[in-house]
Amino acid sequence: MARWRGDWQVPSSGALTQARARLGGGVMKMLFERIASPTSTEGSIGSWWRGLRLVAIDGTVFDLPDTEANSAHFGRPG
């Protein structure tokens, strides 16, 4: 940790967002393609159902326009 002492400061979330924007979507896509991989194989017990890989998304909230139609269809987060 000694090497991080001195002038270095933790970047703000805004600085990280701006850096991502400067890099562009292509770099983020390439990074994802290089490091993202399934965590289970065909023989993993509990990861497959009828030949389909099971995926769960929990606690995710998507930003949508605040319209009555969207509220009626998707509901509101708790």
Side-chain angles (χ1 to χ4, degrees):
M1 290 299 294
R3 74 169 54 167
W4 294 109
R5 293 188 185 135
D7 295 340
W8 187 84
Q9 294 179 359
V10 175
S12 68
S13 59
L16 295 174
T17 300
Q18 291 170 7
R20 248 191 328 265
R22 284 194 305 271
L23 287 172
V27 173
M28 300 307 288
K29 182 178 186 285
M30 180 199 65
L31 179 61
F32 176 82
E33 289 170 348
R34 291 183 78 178
I35 65 171
S37 64
T39 57
S40 65
T41 60
E42 193 78 34
S44 299
I45 296 172
S47 298
W48 296 83
W49 180 74
R50 296 187 179 189
L52 301 173
R53 184 186 311 271
L54 297 176
V55 177
I57 301 173
D58 186 24
T60 301
V61 177
F62 295 100
D63 289 331
L64 298 172
D66 189 17
T67 65
E68 289 297 324
N70 281 341
S71 182
H73 185 78
F74 297 105
R76 299 238 177 226

